Amino acid sequence: GRDHWSDCFSVLLAGGGIQGGRVIGASEKWGGGVRDRLVTPLDLLATIYHTLGVPLDTHYEDASGRPVSIVGGGHVIQELL
């Protein structure tokens, strides 16, 4: 809430082909920013779709008929596979 340190967060993933015991990235000293290996929510989405076998080049049409990528600019987090 209230924009406190919204650039850095933790996520726990398990199952579905994800390799356990991995730590990807690091925060700076106070935990408010990324120090090492930025991973975005779109990267998490791309990784989950990839492990489910959903092609990452899949698009859907928005209300005006324009194609929209299911993962935006996200990339698979290879360190987790």
Side-chain angles (χ1 to χ4, degrees), residues 54-81:
V54 176
L56 299 183
D57 60 353
T58 300
H59 289 74
Y60 64 90
E61 290 185 5
D62 67 10
S64 65
R66 293 180 294 196
V68 178
S69 169
I70 63 168
V71 294
H75 301 283
V76 174
I77 307 166
Q78 294 296 328
E79 299 96 323
L80 293 176
L81 306 178

Side-chain angles (χ1 to χ4, degrees), residues 34-73:
V34 177
R35 186 189 79 211
D36 180 45
R37 181 60 170 99
L38 174 67
V39 174
T40 69
L42 290 176
D43 295 335
L44 291 171
L45 184 60
T47 303
I48 291 167
Y49 279 146
H50 174 78
T51 60
L52 291 172
V54 176
L56 299 183
D57 60 353
T58 300
H59 289 74
Y60 64 90
E61 290 185 5
D62 67 10
S64 65
R66 293 180 294 196
V68 178
S69 169
I70 63 168
V71 294

Side-chain angles (χ1 to χ4, degrees), residues 5 8 25-36:
W5 295 347
C8 195
S27 68
E28 49 86 32
K29 182 178 180 180
W30 301 109
V34 177
R35 186 189 79 211
D36 180 45

